[in-house]
């Protein structure tokens, strides 16, 4: 039986970073993943596929150019599912190759098998052929991620009802689509298909979508989606889902029925902990399969067992999972780290994009801090005009007393890139003065920061 300094279960963002960090510290590392290829949900069914699909749709549909050429404009007239999937495979192959190379360079060993804990220092590994072996370890990182929640009452095993994993396998583009779930995943897919001119209905049982995002942004976002013909049903309980020969009927609590060609169910995910042998190591998970950890070290209640990534719950992002994996590895091997900044950005790759960092206006109101906002519409920038961008805006929130930037919120083209300016200013404790003291490239969308800063400054005065 081989003994490793670090066993990593799951090769998603958390596992990958923990493995490489451990190897860079000179430790022996084994990564075990039961998926056919390295990379986890992030590479194969989550982040990278959905973002590749989005980019392909925006390019082939000519969506970004419609501000100039009208809603009928298309780069490719007949876009097929095959057009979307072929680019997807190229990107995924590249991601896997990069990862394999990274492991090889750093001397990280990798086994394709399902891991099950057999105590706090041992695990059994079962290959696809049923071969079982055992490994011993000093430390283990559980980074097994999550899978889509599939209620028993829904007939997923048909060609009409999909979750966010198998929607990537569709053979033909739907004539119409219903999406249940107004979280990030549901909203991203709903808007991507809508950008392809597929009629989409988004159903959310709560009264709003994306409830962690600044309200003003969400209101503008919903307005943009309705403007381009998407149907959004908020506060609608789903009573029944019936698969018919030529479509799916979703019966709602208010008596209405939504009919469509296919359905995407994107309401929740659960941790992959069922066959992990947690109990043998003295661990347990909650009802959604989440493992509790110390939020600063990612150590579980058993000192040599760490957990990171989606299996520990919020915020469930590839970006934060990577950082958690790195921190866990450093802690396991006694490397001291400075505490991370309080804020990190969220990117919602819908069409249009949303990105947000720091406090929303609702958060600031609740905190009782006196504040002022500054807003810049992208169409106010020369770059926005050049690009034909006629929607989207940046909102900055400043504290009145300290003049510090508290939050930056963007909906529109480039939001997920532009947000990092706001993130830097917040984390470096910058004030409104940063935005008018500094020169920005011209013409850029980033100039919106200057405009929004000046907008706020005009109302704040020099106090
Ligand atoms: C549709 C979608 C879009 C997303 N978009 C974004 C985005 O734009 N930006 C962003 O930051 N995040 C995004 N996310 C979230 C992101 O994908 C996750 O936060 C991230 O993948 C979690 O990483 P992880 O390290 O927890 O492992 P995961 O990526 O979840 O991978 C876990 C791995 O563990 C393996 N495993 C499970 N059990 C075992 C076992 N017993 N033995 C061996 N291996 C096992 C699985 O095979 C899997 O490969 C998206 C997610 C989805 C579903």
């Amino acid at each position: 039986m081989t003994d490793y300094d670090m066993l990593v279960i799951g090769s998603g963002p958390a596992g990958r970073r923990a493995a490489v960090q451990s190897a860079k510290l000179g430790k022996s590392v084994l990564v075990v993943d039961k998926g056919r290829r390295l990379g986890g949900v992030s590479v194969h069914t989550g982040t990278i596929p959905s973002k590749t699909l989005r980019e392909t749709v925006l390019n082939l549909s000519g969506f970004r150019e419609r501000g100039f050429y009208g809603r009928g404009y298309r780069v490719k007239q007949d876009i097929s599912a095959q057009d979307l999937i072929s680019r997807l495979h190229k990107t995924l192959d590249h991601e896997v190759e990069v990862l394999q190379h990274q492991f090889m360079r750093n001397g990280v060993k990798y086994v394709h098998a399902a891991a099950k804990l057999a105590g706090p220092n041992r695990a059994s590994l079962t290959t696809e052929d049923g071969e079982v072996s055992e490994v011993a370890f000093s430390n283990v990182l559980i980074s097994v991620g999550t899978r889509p929640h599939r209620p028993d009452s829904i007939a997923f095993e048909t060609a009409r009802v999909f979750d966010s994993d198998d929607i990537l396998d569709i053979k033909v583009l739907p004539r119409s689509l219903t999406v249940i779930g107004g979280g990030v995943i549901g909203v991203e897919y709903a808007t991507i298909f809508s950008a392809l001119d597929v009629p989409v209905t988004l159903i959310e049982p709560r009264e709003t979508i994306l409830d962690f995002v600044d309200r003003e942004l969400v209101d503008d976002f919903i307005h943009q989606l309705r403007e381009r013909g998407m149907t959004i049903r908020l506060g609608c309980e789903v009573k029944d889902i019936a698969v018919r020969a030529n479509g799916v009927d979703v019966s709602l609590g208010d008596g209405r029925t939504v009919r469509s060609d296919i359905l995407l169910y994107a309401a929740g995910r659960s941790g992959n902990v069922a066959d992990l042998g947690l109990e043998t190591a003295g661990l347990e998970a909650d009802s959604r399969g989440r493992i509790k950890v110390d939020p600063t070290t990612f150590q579980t209640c058993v000192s040599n067992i760490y957990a990171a990534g989606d299996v520990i719950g919020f915020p469930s992002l590839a970006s934060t999972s990577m950082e958690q994996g790195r921190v866990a590895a450093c802690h396991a091997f006694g490397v001291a780290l400075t505490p991370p900044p309080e804020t990190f950005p969220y990117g919602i790759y819908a069409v249009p994009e949303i990105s947000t960092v720091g406090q929303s206006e609702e958060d600031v109101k609740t905190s009782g801090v006196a504040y002022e906002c500054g807003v810049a519409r992208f169409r106010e920038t020369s770059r926005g005009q050049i690009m034909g961008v006629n929607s989207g805006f940046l909102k900055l929130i400043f504290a009145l007393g300290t003049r510090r930037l508290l939050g930056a919120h963007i909906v529109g083209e480039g939001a997920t890139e532009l947000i990092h300016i706001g993130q830097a200013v917040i984390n470096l404790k910058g004030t409104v003065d940063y935005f008018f003291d500094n020169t920005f490239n011209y013409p850029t969308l980033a100039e919106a920061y200057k405009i929004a800063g000046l907008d706020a400054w005009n109302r704040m005065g020099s106090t």
Side-chain angles (χ1 to χ4, degrees):
M1 184 163 57
T2 320
D3 201 340
Y4 291 92
D5 295 321
M6 174 64 90
L7 173 70
V8 173
I9 309 179
S11 67
R16 169 198 326 183
R17 279 298 278 273
V20 172
Q21 178 64 66
S22 304
K24 285 196 186 298
L25 293 171
K27 307 297 173 185
S28 58
V29 188
L30 177 68
V31 175
V32 188
D33 199 304
K34 67 181 180 185
R36 242 166 286 140
R37 298 174 82 193
L38 282 173
V41 166
S42 175
V43 171
H44 298 287
T45 52
T47 316
I48 305 294
S50 56
K51 266 78 269 182
T52 311
L53 195 67
R54 177 182 189 276
E55 205 55 36
T56 313
V57 164
L58 291 180
N59 287 338
L60 294 183
S61 67
F63 191 87
R64 288 189 176 106
E65 306 300 320
R66 290 183 184 178
F68 268 125
Y69 303 120
R71 289 174 63 175
Y73 177 75
R74 273 213 169 195
V75 169
K76 186 170 191 291
Q77 279 309 319
D78 298 309
I79 302 169
S80 68
Q82 193 48 43
D83 289 325
L84 307 182
I85 302 304
S86 59
R87 180 154 165 178
L88 195 63
H89 288 308
K90 273 192 194 157
T91 315
L92 304 194
D93 287 348
H94 174 74
E95 286 285 319
V96 173
E97 194 190 307
V98 168
L99 194 49
Q100 280 170 337
H101 188 223
Q102 196 183 24
F103 279 4
M104 201 182 71
R105 269 195 340 258
N106 288 285
V108 172
K109 287 196 179 151
Y110 161 64
V111 172
H112 172 205
K116 183 170 186 170
L117 295 171
N121 291 97
R122 280 186 312 125
S124 67
L125 313 183
T126 309
T127 66
E128 258 183 343
D129 305 335
E131 266 178 50
V132 182
S133 58
E134 281 221 337
V135 285
F137 53 82
S138 307
N139 297 281
V140 60
L141 177 79
I142 302 173
S143 47
V144 292
T146 54
R147 61 181 182 286
H149 175 54
R150 285 182 159 220
D152 293 338
S153 56
I154 302 179
F156 285 96
E157 311 309 327
T158 69
R160 303 222 170 256
V161 182
F162 298 85
D163 64 23
S164 63
D165 283 359
D166 48 28
I167 192 76
L168 297 164
D169 297 327
I170 52 167
K171 303 285 180 276
V172 282
L173 285 184
R175 281 171 287 115
S176 54
L177 168 71
T178 301
V179 176
I180 297 179
V184 175
I185 297 171
V187 165
E188 284 187 1
Y189 276 118
T191 60
I192 289 170
F193 278 96
S194 151
L196 271 178
D197 296 316
V198 172
V200 176
T201 304
L202 177 67
I203 300 171
E204 168 55 49
R206 286 172 302 176
E207 291 296 337
T208 185
I209 56 171
L210 307 175
D211 52 8
F212 58 95
V213 176
D214 188 280
R215 266 319 69 208
E216 201 176 342
L217 256 80
V218 176
D219 290 346
D220 184 87
F221 178 71
I222 291 178
H223 175 74
Q224 287 193 48
L225 300 185
R226 287 191 165 135
E227 277 282 290
R228 72 169 198 248
M230 243 179 84
T231 307
I232 303 175
R233 300 267 170 93
L234 301 177
C236 284
E237 193 195 345
V238 173
K239 285 279 183 212
D240 185 49
I241 298 172
V243 177
R244 296 173 289 110
N246 56 353
V248 189
D249 285 355
V250 179
S251 310
L252 300 177
D254 59 10
R256 290 185 293 181
T257 298
V258 178
R259 298 202 145 168
S260 60
D261 193 14
I262 68 167
L263 171 86
L264 169 63
Y265 186 86
R269 298 180 66 89
S270 323
N272 286 321
V273 293
D275 303 315
L276 205 56
L278 290 180
E279 58 300 336
T280 64
L283 292 171
E284 57 180 19
D286 69 11
S287 58
R288 298 294 296 267
R290 285 172 301 214
I291 299 173
K292 203 168 166 208
V293 292
D294 175 328
T296 54
T297 63
F298 303 99
Q299 218 169 6
T300 66
C301 60
V302 181
S303 64
N304 68 323
I305 304 185
Y306 291 78
D310 285 11
V311 74
I312 66 168
F314 178 84
S316 294
L317 293 169
S319 52
T320 49
S321 299
M322 288 186 220
E323 195 50 21
Q324 292 168 2
R326 185 180 75 87
V327 171
C330 287
H331 187 265
F333 299 116
V335 177
L337 292 173
T338 48
E342 276 169 31
T343 56
F344 55 85
Y346 276 96
I348 302 167
Y349 293 79
V351 183
E353 275 174 47
I354 295 178
S355 201
T356 172
V357 64
Q359 298 178 48
S360 65
E361 190 168 350
E362 292 73 35
D363 294 335
V364 181
K365 270 189 187 145
T366 309
S367 74
V369 168
Y371 70 96
E372 192 50 87
C373 298
V375 169
R377 308 252 151 217
F378 283 167
R379 62 169 179 267
E380 294 173 60
T381 66
S382 303
R383 180 64 179 223
Q385 286 300 323
I386 293 166
M387 291 167 71
V389 171
N390 48 24
S391 59
F393 71 95
L394 161 72
K395 171 176 174 179
L396 299 178
I397 307 173
F398 298 95
L400 277 183
T402 60
R403 302 167 70 77
R404 275 182 53 189
L405 178 63
L406 301 175
H409 310 282
I410 310 174
V411 56
E413 185 64 31
T416 54
E417 298 285 353
L418 289 168
I419 201 67
H420 297 107
I421 298 174
Q423 179 191 16
V425 175
I426 290 174
N427 287 339
L428 294 171
K429 306 192 186 331
T431 66
V432 66
D433 307 287
Y434 175 88
F435 298 101
F436 53 85
D437 284 345
N438 282 279
T439 303
F440 282 62
N441 270 338
Y442 175 85
T444 55
L445 290 181
E447 210 202 336
Y449 274 100
K450 204 174 203 17
I451 300 170
L454 284 168
D455 183 44
W457 187 83
N458 282 336
R459 274 180 257 140
M460 290 164 74
S462 53
T463 50

